[in-house]
Each structure stands twice: as C-alpha cells, then as structure tokens.
C-alpha cells in the first residue's frame, strides 16, 4: 500500500492505493468511500479484494486529511469535488466505486457533477432522510440526536443516535414519546466529554442527509448506479432511505448481507459479515 497527499482547494486529502496503477487486470481501480467514516473503516473490505487495485481516502477534515477552507461543515458537493480530484490524481481513468452511508450521498453527487468519473457505483444505504414519506419526522428525530449531544456530550448523543437508527418503521408519536435513552444501556459513557464537534452527532453533516439527488443528471450519466441495502436494515431508517433512493432513480434496491456496517470486521465492535459482503459486492461489480 502506498499513501499519498493531494493538495486541493482548502484541503489536504490523504489517500491510499493498494495495488498497481495502471491496474494489473485492466479493470478500473476499486474506490471505497464513506462519510464520516474514513479509510480506516474499509481495511477489512479492501483485504478481501487482493486481486484488485483498491483506493481509499479520508474526507477533508477527517482522519489524516486536513482542511484550511475555514468551514466546519460538510456538503455533498464539496466532498464530491474532493473525490473527483483524487480520481483525477490517480490518472487511471474512471473507477468502480463502493460508497457507504454518507459516502453513498457523496458518490451520488459525484455522478451528477462529474459523470465520467465512475463506471459502476454501488451506493450502500445512503441516509437521505428527507426523501422518505416521513421526512419531516425524520428531520425532527435527527435534531433530537443533536440536542442530546449538545446538552450532555458524546455518550448521550451516541445513545440517541443508536436509538434513532435502530427504530423500525416511520418516526411516529410513539418514538418521540420515549424517554431519553440511557447511555449506559448502550455501553456508552454517561459523563460529558466536552466535545461538540462530532461530525455524526452534531449538525455539521446535516447537508449530507438533507441532500436530494439530481435524478436527471444521474440518469444522463454513463454510470451504472446500484442502490444497495443490508438485509438486516430493511425496517430501520437507512433501509427505508435506500428504498426511497432506489425508487427515486427508477430501480429496486439490491440486497446485501448484514447491516449498515456489514463490511466491517470486529475491530469497531459491531461486526458484520465481511466475507459474505465482499462476495456480494464482487458479484454486483462483475455484473457490469
């Protein structure tokens, strides 16, 4: 693996390349992206593609990447332009892409803004909360996570986030009537850690989950777009946003093993099924 730093407008983007460029097999590089997850979250998945040249990166201001643009928020457009810059720096033509969570939103913006960058995009569980039928309630639930974090710190915010993302079905009055979740019940610390800048729990990534894909631009792009969902996610928010995104693009979701982090091993405490997940991803990419 080689690691590079690319200076762009207002950021220093760190990216990793596993394998040769140009690629040994003649296929496009496989680019794995997330948000707010950085490259470290894709180690298990990358290891299951030893025959491919795999690229990962840290979004600006996260992981090893820096930002000097004077902003503290993230937007899909800025993130997409950063990924475009890395694709151009690779000098290997368009890439195949697996994008998860907020990275899937970035990737949809990338296809709309830079349609020649990606041959096949597998967008896994994009959290596009405003396009679901209960969009206003989902926005209210998201605000509740931010409020818990602002008032009591990381443990309370993360407990609220887990409670929100594990809720099945639409956000009804029953959801909002529940007492604030106890951080200890989720193995989270109860004391306030003093942070208020977490990209997942604050409002700094709200532009990502507020994004509405440019359907016309995506349809006009040469990219094959696949909206993917974990089999264990179907009833929860990211499963429902996946269904809504697929419907918006005139397709049906493609089901993958496991949950929102189904490609993770046990390193982050919520393991998925990385072997099965990688096999499914390979099958979907090979169908291009």
């Amino acid at each position: 693996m080689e690691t590079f730093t690319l200076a762009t407008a207002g950021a220093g983007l760190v990216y990793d390349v596993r394998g040769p460029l140009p690629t040994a097999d003649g296929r496009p590089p496989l680019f794995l992206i997330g948000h707010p997850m950085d490259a470290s979250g894709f180690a298990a998945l990358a290891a299951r593609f030893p025959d491919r040249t795999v690229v990962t990166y840290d979004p600006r201001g996260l992981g090893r990447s820096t930002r000097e643009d004077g902003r503290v928020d993230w937007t899909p457009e800025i993130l997409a332009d950063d990924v475009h810059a890395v694709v151009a720096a690779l000098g290997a033509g368009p890439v195949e892409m697996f994008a998860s969570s907020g990275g899937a939103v970035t990737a949809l913006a990338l296809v709309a803004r830079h349609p020649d960058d990606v041959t096949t995009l597998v967008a896994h569980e994009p959290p596009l909360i405003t396009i679901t039928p209960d969009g206003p309630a989902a926005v209210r639930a998201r605000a509740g996570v931010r409020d818990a974090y602002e008032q009591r710190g990381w443990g309370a915010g993360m407990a609220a986030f887990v409670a929100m993302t594990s809720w099945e079905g639409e956000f009804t009055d029953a959801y909002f009537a529940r007492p604030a979740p106890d951080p200890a019940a989720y193995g989270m610390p109860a004391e306030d850690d003093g942070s208020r800048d977490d990209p997942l729990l604050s409002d700094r990534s709200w532009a990502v989950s507020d994004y509405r894909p440019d359907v016309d631009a995506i349809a006009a792009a040469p990219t094959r777009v696949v909206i993917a969902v974990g089999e264990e996610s179907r009833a929860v928010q990211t499963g429902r946003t996946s269904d809504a995104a697929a419907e918006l693009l005139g397709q049906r979701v493609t089901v993958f093993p496991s949950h929102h982090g189904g490609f993770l091993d046990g390193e982050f405490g919520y393991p998925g099924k990385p072997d099965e997940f990688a096999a499914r991803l390979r099958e979907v990419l090979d169908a291009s």
Side-chain angles (χ1 to χ4, degrees), residues 37 41 44 100 124-125 158 161-163 165-168 186 188 200 230-234 236-238 257-274 277:
M37 178 180 283
S100 185
H124 181 247
E125 300 198 12
M158 184 56 73
F161 178 78
V162 173
T165 56
S166 60
W167 177 262
E168 295 189 354
Y186 296 98
M188 310 294 179
L200 187 66
E231 61 187 355
E232 298 174 30
S233 300
R234 300 308 301 273
V236 300
Q237 185 181 46
T238 54
S258 198
H259 48 66
H260 191 65
F263 50 90
L264 299 172
D265 58 19
E267 182 180 1
F268 297 95
Y270 187 37
K273 299 177 180 177
F277 196 100

Side-chain angles (χ1 to χ4, degrees), residues 45 48-49 256 274-284:
L45 186 57
R48 285 162 173 81
F49 285 87
F256 271 61
D275 290 334
E276 296 93 332
F277 196 100
R280 180 62 166 145
L281 178 57
R282 190 180 292 274
E283 176 184 271
V284 172

Side-chain angles (χ1 to χ4, degrees), residues 4-30:
F4 304 88
T5 300
L6 175 65
T8 67
L13 303 175
V14 177
Y15 65 96
D16 307 307
V17 179
R18 297 168 172 84
L21 287 174
T23 62
D25 57 4
R27 290 186 65 169
L30 174 58

Side-chain angles (χ1 to χ4, degrees), residues 121-134:
L121 165 63
V122 179
H124 181 247
E125 300 198 12
L128 301 167
I129 67 172
T130 65
I131 68 172
T132 58
D134 63 329

Side-chain angles (χ1 to χ4, degrees), residues 152-225:
R152 303 193 303 279
W154 185 87
M158 184 56 73
F161 178 78
V162 173
M164 180 188 73
T165 56
S166 60
W167 177 262
E168 295 189 354
E170 296 189 353
F171 293 104
T172 61
D173 290 343
Y175 173 82
F176 296 106
R178 299 191 331 168
D182 179 6
Y186 296 98
M188 310 294 179
E191 64 274 8
D192 189 337
D193 68 334
S195 74
R196 296 297 185 270
D197 58 355
D198 188 285
L200 187 66
L201 305 177
S202 69
D203 58 8
R204 296 185 177 191
S205 295
W206 278 13
V208 175
S209 50
D210 281 341
Y211 183 69
R212 298 188 72 85
D214 187 334
V215 175
D216 292 339
I218 292 172
T223 308
R224 172 185 173 234
V225 176

